[in-house]
Amino acid sequence: MVNRFKIDGEEVLDGEVKPFGNSAHVTVPKRWRGADVKVVRTSEPTEQDDE
């Protein structure tokens, strides 16, 4: 089941979550530094970690 969210915002980017040490990250433009952001996962992960 997919949830639907409504978010008011300034700009939207499509990206891919990439590995980063023991975690993962999403790269956003440098001009976004200091801004409040929200991240929404829109698909199931392709890699599963054993946590």
Side-chain angles (χ1 to χ4, degrees), residues 8 10-11 15-17 19-20 22-24 31 36-37 39 44:
D8 294 328
E10 300 294 325
E11 190 174 2
E16 181 181 343
V17 179
F20 188 75
N22 290 334
S23 186
R31 67 181 185 277
D36 292 330
V37 299
V39 176
E44 290 294 323

Side-chain angles (χ1 to χ4, degrees), residues 9-34:
E10 300 294 325
E11 190 174 2
V12 174
L13 294 177
D14 287 327
E16 181 181 343
V17 179
K18 299 192 178 174
F20 188 75
N22 290 334
S23 186
H25 74 260
V26 177
T27 303
V28 298
K30 195 176 195 178
R31 67 181 185 277
W32 285 23
R33 281 195 298 188

Side-chain angles (χ1 to χ4, degrees), residues 3-5 7 13 15 17 26 37-43:
N3 292 318
R4 189 172 298 269
F5 300 93
I7 301 171
L13 294 177
V17 179
V26 177
V37 299
K38 294 181 179 4
V39 176
V40 178
R41 183 172 52 87
T42 58
S43 67

